[in-house]
Amino acid sequence: MSRFMIGLDIGTTTASAVIFTPHGEVVSEYECAYSTYHPKPSWSEQNPLEVEKAARDAITSSMSQSRLDATDIIGVSISSSMHSLLCMNEQNEPISPLMIWSDSRSYPQAAIMNETYGKGIYENTGTPIHPMSPFVKLIWMKETQYGPYYEAGRFASIKEYIIYKWCGQWKVDYSIASATGLFNIHTLEWDSDALAIAGVHPTQLSTVVPCTEVVGPLSAKIADELMLTTETPIIIGSSGGVLANIGIGAIHDDETALTIGSSGAIRRFTPERTTDDHQRTFQYVFTKEHNIIGGASNNGTVALKWLARQFSTLTKRDTIETFDLESLAATSSAGANGLFFMPYLAGERAPKWNAKAKGGWIGLTLSHNSADMIRSVMESVIFNMYEIQEALTEKAGPTKKLLLSGSFVRSPLWVQMTADIFHKTVLLPKSDHAITWGAAWLGLYALGKVNSMDEIKQYIPIEKEILPSVKNIVIYEEHYHLFKELYVKNKPLFADLDRLQQ
């Protein structure tokens, strides 16, 4: 009898496959990395063939490590990052690189859209007008005479491409479709206004299906390579953000998931379909009854990793670990002695939606030291996430539970900062596999192996509860208001700085 489920996550930099028991115990796991290419400033591209191969290799290696038989596997459930875009020809072959979410070449088109039709498109689709959006990327393709755009018989995300390669079907789940900026969250159909502006016909897009849809069967060649059978169910799944919420148990509308890896995001489930007047948040469809509201930041642990590289160069050491920086930051006090950092090293999505935003220290004096500089960088990341949380609270009401996930939870200092800045007790689930466990559980639900999504909570033990420091809450409240003001005052300079840097 089949007893194990595979969760596959096609992330921004790696494909990860984890084999779980139905209770969430990890049997084996494997991760394969792929490259991101930057042929021009603000361009971020990947080779779809490399990504698809990494997804295959991750499952094959995980199966090989587990020593399980193909008949032991209940199914494979897929997660992927959002906002990727690929041009395909009439023969269903890629004719362009894969443009990923961080590609910001379409900034001029986004700026114009925000001054014209952008608000209406956002209200229909729930996707803020920003270069990350495939909708805006398509406008760039059209306006710059991008060759593959005019030759394309189809436009697809990386997940759609992989499903076609493996199963021969062009299908897309609600959440990935929502994140294109082309899908109407109210009618649950491709949005005619967005398609007309982008110059795309509905026949060039996949069929939109529920996240529980079983696609397939696998081709014999792919099944053999994955060490599975052609009858192994492949569940289309959802986006990584949605599944991270499920994987840590933040599935009720008063529970918030805060995830910070290289980038960061805050998300909540909600039965409502509403947008924000200032486009600070996104709203994507998960099922016909459930939606996810939230905001994503470009700048998470990547800011600290950037700083570690600079310290490494200055000290002529091969590497300096971020752990070393965190230990030093702990010797500074809350508020970093009045030093602020604007964390927009990669531009910013929520809540600013400004691809030209820049980073930098404000308030630096001769009295400040490296510990203050490091701590200010760490605090700025959490300040920005808290600003997104404020927008969520306005739209969806207060949150009762704040659950954390992502690599930043390995830092006790960063976790304590989160509790202090959010002035709320934070919960740390024990699992390190939020996205893939969420995908696996969704697969179990889709196949009728569990009765409800709620049941996952009994298989996600809470490892720690971190209480906020009353003293630090007072300090951070004052610093947070100044942090927001610094962005407003410096925003007019960002476009000029960007012009000089280009």
Side-chain angles (χ1 to χ4, degrees):
M1 179 181 175
S2 300
R3 294 177 293 118
F4 304 96
M5 174 65 74
I6 299 177
L8 172 66
D9 176 42
I10 306 158
T12 301
T13 58
T14 62
S16 305
V18 184
I19 301 179
F20 295 96
T21 70
H23 292 170
E25 297 157 349
V26 174
V27 176
S28 69
E29 57 185 295
Y30 201 86
E31 183 175 83
C32 293
Y34 29 83
S35 300
T36 301
Y37 305 97
H38 306 280
K40 294 183 181 181
S42 75
W43 291 33
S44 295
E45 300 178 341
Q46 292 175 347
N47 183 333
L49 304 181
E50 290 181 7
V51 180
E52 187 271 332
K53 184 179 185 303
R56 280 187 282 122
D57 289 347
I59 291 179
T60 301
S61 298
S62 189
M63 283 293 294
S64 181
Q65 285 182 357
S66 71
R67 300 184 180 277
L68 294 172
D69 187 78
T71 57
D72 292 324
I73 303 301
I74 299 171
V76 179
S77 185
I78 305 177
S79 162
S80 75
S81 54
M82 299 181 289
H83 312 302
S84 59
L85 179 63
L86 181 64
C87 299
M88 310 287 297
N89 64 17
E90 297 288 353
Q91 290 72 45
N92 292 314
E93 299 166 336
I95 54 175
S96 76
L98 179 74
M99 295 171 66
I100 64 173
W101 65 267
S102 55
D103 190 294
S104 60
R105 73 184 78 176
S106 59
Y107 178 86
Q109 287 72 29
I112 293 170
M113 279 300 302
N114 271 317
E115 294 173 359
T116 54
Y117 306 106
K119 187 173 187 295
I121 297 298
Y122 166 69
E123 289 174 348
N124 286 346
T125 67
T127 302
I129 303 300
H130 183 269
M132 70 171 188
S133 167
F135 165 64
V136 182
K137 288 175 167 67
L138 286 164
I139 297 174
W140 175 88
M141 289 182 178
K142 183 173 72 169
E143 293 186 350
T144 61
Q145 308 294 304
Y146 186 63
Y149 169 86
Y150 290 97
E151 299 168 16
R154 182 174 298 277
F155 301 101
S157 69
I158 187 59
K159 188 204 275 194
E160 293 164 75
Y161 171 65
I162 289 173
I163 288 172
Y164 175 78
K165 286 280 288 184
W166 293 4
C167 304
Q169 299 183 36
W170 285 111
K171 292 183 177 180
V172 62
D173 65 89
Y174 282 131
S175 68
I176 295 296
S178 287
T180 64
L182 301 167
F183 186 72
N184 191 302
I185 62 174
H186 308 290
T187 64
L188 301 185
E189 296 177 349
W190 295 114
D191 186 76
S192 58
D193 291 341
L195 265 59
I197 295 170
V200 174
H201 193 273
T203 58
Q204 293 177 291
L205 302 173
S206 296
T207 301
V208 186
V209 298
C211 59
T212 53
E213 180 89 355
V214 177
V215 294
L218 286 169
S219 72
K221 182 177 181 296
I222 293 293
D224 184 62
E225 184 170 346
L226 298 182
M227 304 175 68
L228 302 172
T229 72
T230 56
E231 290 78 26
T232 303
I234 307 298
I235 296 91
I236 197 167
S238 189
S239 64
V242 173
L243 295 171
N245 271 58
I246 294 172
I248 61 173
I251 57 181
H252 295 156
D253 58 11
D254 59 357
E255 298 171 335
T256 299
L258 168 59
T259 304
I260 302 179
S262 294
S263 56
I266 298 181
R267 300 167 303 270
R268 290 172 65 175
F269 278 108
T270 173
E272 305 296 330
R273 288 188 184 141
T274 59
T275 51
D276 178 66
D277 290 341
H278 306 289
Q279 293 194 47
R280 293 170 297 176
T281 58
F282 59 71
Q283 174 111 33
Y284 302 140
V285 179
F286 174 51
T287 68
K288 290 182 178 180
E289 297 78 26
H290 299 93
N291 311 278
I292 196 95
I293 184 173
S297 167
N298 288 356
N299 302 281
T301 63
V302 68
L304 199 59
K305 291 174 183 175
W306 166 81
L307 193 58
R309 289 197 300 273
Q310 313 319 310
F311 273 74
S312 178
T313 301
L314 289 171
T315 58
K316 297 182 179 180
R317 287 172 56 181
D318 291 338
T319 59
I320 289 180
E321 300 296 332
T322 55
F323 173 80
D324 299 323
L325 298 189
E326 292 160 12
S327 299
L328 186 55
T331 65
S332 178
S333 57
N337 293 307
L339 180 62
F340 290 84
F341 185 73
M342 293 190 295
Y344 318 117
L345 300 179
E348 192 50 283
R349 287 182 285 172
K352 278 83 176 179
W353 299 104
N354 185 351
K356 293 187 183 296
K358 307 299 177 185
W361 279 281
I362 301 290
L364 195 61
T365 69
L366 291 173
S367 66
H368 288 109
N369 56 32
S370 55
D372 298 326
M373 297 174 73
I374 299 164
R375 186 174 187 119
S376 68
V377 169
M378 298 176 71
E379 290 175 344
S380 72
V381 171
I382 308 303
F383 281 145
N384 196 65
M385 301 307 292
Y386 183 66
E387 194 169 353
I388 303 172
Q389 169 68 4
E390 282 191 325
L392 284 189
T393 300
E394 285 182 28
K395 300 303 298 181
T399 185
K400 290 183 178 179
K401 288 186 179 179
L402 180 63
L403 298 101
L404 309 188
S405 67
S407 58
F408 93 119
V409 300
R410 299 172 193 152
S411 166
L413 178 59
W414 236 336
V415 171
Q416 185 63 57
M417 281 180 189
T418 304
D420 296 344
I421 291 172
F422 278 69
H423 37 86
K424 184 172 287 293
T425 299
V426 298
L427 308 177
L428 300 181
K430 189 173 183 179
S431 174
D432 290 329
H433 301 88
I435 293 177
T436 48
W437 178 222
W441 188 264
L442 179 61
L444 290 169
Y445 176 69
L447 297 174
K449 304 297 183 181
V450 296
N451 296 320
S452 70
M453 298 303 296
D454 273 29
E455 289 183 28
I456 194 174
K457 286 179 174 287
Q458 61 187 300
Y459 303 116
I460 308 174
I462 299 299
E463 188 172 41
K464 291 181 183 177
E465 293 188 8
I466 309 298
L467 277 65
S469 160
V470 175
K471 175 184 176 183
N472 290 347
I473 286 175
V474 175
I475 295 171
Y476 281 133
E477 281 184 344
E478 181 179 6
H479 281 65
Y480 170 66
H481 292 298
L482 186 52
F483 170 82
K484 290 201 297 183
E485 188 67 18
L486 287 171
Y487 173 82
V488 173
K489 294 290 177 62
N490 284 278
K491 182 181 177 181
L493 302 175
F494 291 150
D496 289 334
L497 289 170
D498 188 77
R499 178 176 52 81
L500 294 175
Q501 292 170 0
Q502 295 296 329

